Amino acid sequence: MVHVVELDVAGRTLRLETGRVAKQADGSIWASYGDTVVLATAVASQTAKPGVDFLPLTVDYQEKTYAAGKIPGGYFKREGRPSEKEVLTSRLIDRPLRPLFPEGYYFETQVIASVLSADKTGSSDVIGITAASAALAISNIPFNGPVAGVKIGRVNGQFIVNPDLDTMEKSELNLVVAGTADAVMMVEAGADELPEATMLEALELAHAEIKKIVAKISELAKKVGNKKREVAVESIDPALAAKVKELVAQPIRDAIMIPNKTARQERLDAILSDAVEKLKNPDEPSSERHIKIVFHGLEYTEVRNMILEKGSRADGRGPADIRPITIEVGVLPRTHGSALFTRGETQSLAVVTLGTTEDEQRIDALEGEYTRTFMLHYNFPPFSVGEARPLRSPGRREVGHGALAERALKPVIPGKESFPYTLRIVSEILESNGSSSMATVCGGTLAMMDAGVPIKEPVAGIAMGLIKEGDAVMILSDILGLEDHLGDMDFKVCGTKNGVTALQMDIKIGGITTALMQQALEQARTGRLHILSHMAKALGAPRANLSPFAPRIFTLKVKQDKIRDVIGPGGKTIRGIIAECGVKINVEDTGIVTIASVDEASAQKAKDMIGRLTEEVEVGKTYLGTVRKIMDFGAFVEVLPGTDGLVHISQLAHHRVKAVSDEVAEGDQILVKVLEIDKQGKIRLSRKETMPAPSGSGAKEPTAG
């Protein structure tokens, strides 16, 4: 049976339908919003994976090129590996769904959101969140949702719900929020140095819209009427649990106070190994797993109790304290800019490379083609956490962390008009114990300043955590990996001294209230200012000069009808300039010409050559021209490359000229002055005006043009 719900969201109809397509999935939703259509499906295995004690959930978002009436490029002409947009949106959908599965649910579960039609409004990501949640809500899969997604923009001080792409081009805010009826679950935002209070206003508006959508999803689930599967929570022998607690509780308390991450983990592993060795029952195959479950539960409880009851953290800091910071800039001699940023046991080596327009990344997206002139890539090698495992291509985590840091830094990058470079930052995480993406933001800022990039303001990032048990709440600044793993929130805040440039929040509990977010944002602002002060001590402002190894780029504007003169027949002219000067030249259809060279003199030489090719004749100006043709009535003189004017016989000299050939010959170089350019573009020149007047003639002396 087909069931449908509809509601108005920001002036467009959101329609959720089930029962018509993909009926063999446990849950399927055909979601339409305007002309955007997303099919979301949810399927779960009927049996739990043996030996698994985690949620085996996979979420995939995929864009079909036919959705925008396009055929894929390349040789294979079919969709291939996921694009960066697809990877990031898969994460966007996954993050609010994952915490809402019940404890003990270990069934293989797959959620797929497929974009089948795209109207180029850019709303498929938030519709993907809503549709995926609805597919789970109407299915028999245990799920404590539903959730819904909304996007918020801000133009001229006014918030806009689900803005289209044209509006987003002008927006100072790009905020995606997912939440339940009760609380916000996930936040992803980029902002142009907006105050924390403004960000909170946007979050409240988003949640108000989310509540309306969630109500409709619940209505649809009620219509469908599927009964949820029972989750059988594995029972553990109370006697075994008591023995484990008696044996390991105090050693765990002692171990978690070891400041060093590696030493702490080694001690915890040893305690667990000893407990397994002493307490496992060879006749009971599940006993070892049960010991590990109890152990990790005690570790979780002890860390949280220590923070809530004593206000003390594993490395001895208080809740709002920031780990020690050390900074080095210019650490790599041949790169264009570099910085080594270390905070506690987290370390990022950030490296900047400056390129030309040839280095821009060209993206072919559903919404159309565009180029990126700023890129940030994040690498997380296994040695950064003391592991030995094969190197792989960047996974979802690396792509997501890089995108967050890129979004945080983008608002302070100078415009192409004032800084015509393609800019790439690479962050190599050399050590990690929490907040490596935030170390990337700080290191990236410093590396750009070291490279001489004239950024508007330095940007810093900090990761906030939350421990919540009933009414007892503690917000933590600059969280460790342990606090991220065992805590209830990972809230990353980036910004300048003026305001926020990026947010990312993930919640592991049922959500977070506005009051808690306000407290976390204020504590993050204090921490951010502290970090910025350390960065200012290391490098107070961008360096005045670029690295000697960076290309020098000159930009000039020529008239569009002069572009052909720069390029020449078959590109002959521009190739000649490139070969003679040893530079790179790019000519845009708008007439913007960029010249790049490591050697500044070579770039200037090319600029001068193009300037001569595109220079226009000015009335009253004097030129050294070449006589190209002799006629009875005068001489044609080339004053600029490809531009001739006529010197009438009467303008060749102060005396009466009988024959033009008596005064000039073809190939002669003579000074001429421009007298007039008529409506047809014909140029009238005078040689006489550049020559000294005969004595006693009363004529005026020539003036410099």
Side-chain angles (χ1 to χ4, degrees):
M1 183 181 292
V2 176
H3 299 285
V4 177
V5 293
E6 293 183 347
L7 77 157
D8 180 86
V9 180
R12 282 174 281 170
T13 299
L14 173 62
R15 188 176 191 271
L16 304 176
E17 175 190 324
T18 188
R20 182 161 62 99
V21 301
K23 295 186 289 295
Q24 294 188 47
D26 291 327
S28 71
I29 292 290
W30 182 280
S32 60
Y33 187 59
D35 286 342
T36 292
V37 176
V38 176
L39 172 65
T41 59
V43 178
S45 173
Q46 295 296 321
T47 56
K49 292 190 77 171
V52 166
D53 59 355
F54 62 90
L55 170 64
L57 171 69
T58 57
V59 177
D60 291 292
Y61 166 92
Q62 53 182 355
E63 295 182 336
K64 305 295 187 179
T65 57
Y66 57 70
K70 299 168 74 170
I71 295 174
Y75 291 103
F76 299 105
K77 297 301 176 190
R78 70 176 297 162
E79 290 82 2
R81 60 176 295 177
S83 66
E84 186 173 299
K85 161 78 181 301
E86 289 172 308
V87 169
L88 292 173
T89 307
S90 296
R91 279 172 52 87
L92 209 61
I93 298 169
D94 183 302
R95 284 158 46 200
L97 299 183
R98 190 171 291 271
L100 295 175
F101 286 87
E103 193 70 34
Y105 178 78
Y106 303 140
F107 295 77
E108 187 84 45
T109 303
Q110 185 180 46
V111 175
I112 301 173
S114 305
V115 182
L116 307 182
S117 176
D119 61 6
K120 300 187 179 182
T121 59
S123 56
S124 58
D125 48 2
V126 290
I127 300 307
I129 296 170
T130 300
S133 162
L136 287 166
I138 66 166
S139 73
N140 63 2
I141 300 170
F143 180 63
N144 299 324
V147 297
V150 164
K151 188 177 293 184
I152 303 292
R154 190 171 188 261
V155 177
N156 299 325
Q158 299 296 315
F159 291 118
I160 301 165
V161 178
N162 288 352
D164 59 24
L165 291 176
D166 290 338
T167 304
M168 286 306 300
E169 286 290 322
K170 302 172 283 187
S171 178
E172 58 187 353
L173 174 66
N174 184 351
L175 171 69
V176 175
V177 183
T180 64
D182 302 317
V184 170
M185 295 295 300
M186 185 274 295
V187 175
E188 191 81 29
D192 191 7
E193 297 184 87
L194 291 179
E196 282 78 2
T198 302
M199 300 301 290
L200 278 171
E201 281 184 60
L203 287 167
E204 289 174 346
L205 172 61
H207 194 218
E209 293 292 331
I210 284 168
K211 288 177 182 178
K212 301 173 191 174
I213 302 170
V214 165
K216 283 293 180 181
I217 297 174
S218 297
E219 180 186 324
L220 182 62
K222 194 172 182 180
K223 285 182 179 181
V224 174
N226 270 331
K227 186 180 178 182
K228 295 293 184 183
R229 302 180 197 172
E230 294 291 332
V231 178
V233 179
E234 193 170 11
S235 61
I236 296 174
D237 181 8
L240 176 63
K243 288 178 184 177
V244 174
K245 184 175 182 179
E246 183 181 357
L247 183 64
V248 305
Q250 188 57 50
I252 286 175
R253 292 187 199 107
D254 297 336
I256 59 179
M257 294 304 294
I258 298 172
N260 181 269
K261 172 190 172 183
T262 303
R264 179 173 61 248
Q265 193 57 53
E266 286 176 353
R267 180 63 186 135
L268 287 168
D269 290 345
I271 296 167
L272 175 58
S273 179
D274 180 61
V276 169
E277 186 65 30
K278 289 179 178 177
L279 299 176
K280 72 177 180 180
N281 183 352
D283 299 325
E284 182 56 62
S286 61
S287 67
E288 182 175 341
R289 190 159 57 86
H290 288 177
I291 291 167
K292 291 179 179 179
I293 291 171
V294 174
F295 178 90
H296 291 306
L298 287 167
E299 181 188 4
Y300 174 86
T301 302
E302 291 300 333
V303 168
R304 294 165 68 87
N305 286 346
M306 180 180 68
I307 292 169
L308 288 173
E309 294 172 8
K310 300 177 182 177
S312 178
R313 300 162 71 175
D315 56 1
R317 285 183 293 149
D321 293 341
I322 311 298
R323 289 173 289 177
I325 294 170
T326 57
I327 295 169
E328 298 174 59
V329 292
V331 293
L332 301 176
R334 290 299 291 260
T335 61
H336 300 164
S338 61
L340 186 65
F341 181 88
T342 308
R343 181 165 54 199
E345 295 175 298
T346 295
Q347 186 177 69
S348 166
L349 173 65
V351 185
V352 164
T353 307
L354 300 174
T356 66
T357 51
E358 291 182 2
D359 299 306
E360 293 176 359
Q361 184 181 17
R362 285 158 178 80
I363 306 289
D364 184 11
L366 280 189
E367 294 83 9
E369 295 184 6
Y370 63 94
T371 59
R372 290 170 67 191
T373 58
F374 172 51
M375 297 157 280
L376 191 150
H377 298 137
Y378 167 103
N379 295 320
F380 193 83
F383 65 76
S384 66
V385 286
E387 295 179 358
R389 52 181 167 80
L391 280 174
R392 302 287 186 223
S393 58
R396 288 188 178 187
R397 182 180 184 277
E398 286 86 350
V399 173
H401 280 26
L404 171 62
E406 180 179 311
R407 193 164 55 248
L409 295 174
K410 191 173 182 180
V412 302
I413 304 293
K416 195 174 180 180
E417 302 76 21
S418 60
F419 193 72
Y421 287 87
T422 297
L423 179 61
R424 181 184 185 229
I425 301 175
V426 178
S427 172
E428 307 285 359
I429 302 303
L430 307 184
E431 292 183 55
S432 180
N433 186 12
S435 307
S436 59
S437 62
M438 299 297 92
T440 295
V441 172
C442 301
T445 293
L446 291 159
M448 285 194 291
M449 293 169 70
D450 182 55
V453 179
I455 60 172
K456 299 172 187 174
E457 287 283 347
V459 181
I462 185 169
M464 310 298 293
L466 172 72
I467 306 293
K468 187 176 186 298
E469 292 288 349
D471 295 331
V473 175
M474 187 72 74
I475 291 175
L476 307 176
S477 296
D478 184 23
I479 57 174
L480 302 171
L482 179 72
E483 294 163 342
D484 184 8
H485 176 61
L486 300 177
D488 299 321
M489 175 181 77
D490 182 11
F491 192 6
K492 299 181 176 76
V493 185
C494 310
T496 67
K497 68 176 189 290
N498 302 319
V500 174
T501 58
L503 292 180
Q504 186 181 87
M505 184 182 75
D506 292 304
I507 295 294
K508 300 175 187 176
I509 54 177
I512 183 171
T513 63
T514 303
L516 275 177
M517 275 193 285
Q518 185 175 12
Q519 185 182 341
L521 281 169
E522 181 53 35
Q523 193 166 313
R525 190 183 71 84
T526 303
R528 184 172 81 241
L529 295 176
H530 169 81
I531 297 163
L532 285 169
S533 69
H534 279 269
M535 293 166 61
K537 290 174 188 173
L539 191 58
R543 298 199 189 280
N545 298 310
L546 298 179
S547 160
F549 305 109
R552 266 53 182 174
I553 296 181
F554 288 83
T555 302
L556 63 152
K557 182 81 162 61
V558 302
K559 289 188 175 181
Q560 288 177 294
D561 60 359
K562 291 285 184 180
I563 291 175
R564 62 178 182 272
D565 298 328
V566 176
I567 295 173
K572 180 180 178 181
T573 305
I574 197 167
R575 286 199 303 270
I577 298 172
I578 290 169
E580 183 175 339
C581 303
V583 299
K584 291 181 179 179
I585 300 176
N586 182 70
V587 183
E588 297 181 10
D589 294 339
T590 57
I592 297 291
V593 180
T594 54
I595 305 164
S597 172
V598 175
D599 177 11
E600 192 166 336
S602 297
Q604 186 61 53
K605 180 180 178 183
K607 183 180 179 183
D608 293 341
M609 291 175 73
I610 291 172
R612 288 194 295 272
L613 285 171
T614 59
E615 186 180 357
E616 294 193 333
V617 174
E618 296 178 29
V619 174
K621 192 171 180 179
T622 298
Y623 296 88
L624 179 64
T626 303
V627 178
R628 293 301 184 195
K629 195 172 184 180
I630 299 286
M631 304 294 287
D632 290 341
F633 53 82
F636 286 99
V637 177
E638 185 181 56
V639 289
L640 291 174
T643 304
D644 294 348
L646 174 66
V647 182
H648 191 265
I649 191 169
S650 64
Q651 293 292 328
L652 280 171
H654 288 289
H655 58 271
R656 188 173 185 277
V657 176
K658 292 182 179 179
V660 174
S661 56
D662 292 342
E663 295 292 326
V664 294
E666 289 185 8
D668 284 356
Q669 287 193 320
I670 61 173
L671 278 174
V672 291
K673 185 175 182 179
V674 180
L675 298 179
E676 181 188 16
I677 303 173
D678 66 17
K679 292 179 180 179
Q680 286 74 42
K682 294 179 180 178
I683 302 169
R684 192 162 66 88
L685 305 172
S686 172
R687 178 175 178 244
K688 179 172 69 175
E689 290 285 325
T690 68
M691 302 171 70
S695 58
S697 68
K700 293 181 180 179
E701 291 294 316
T703 55

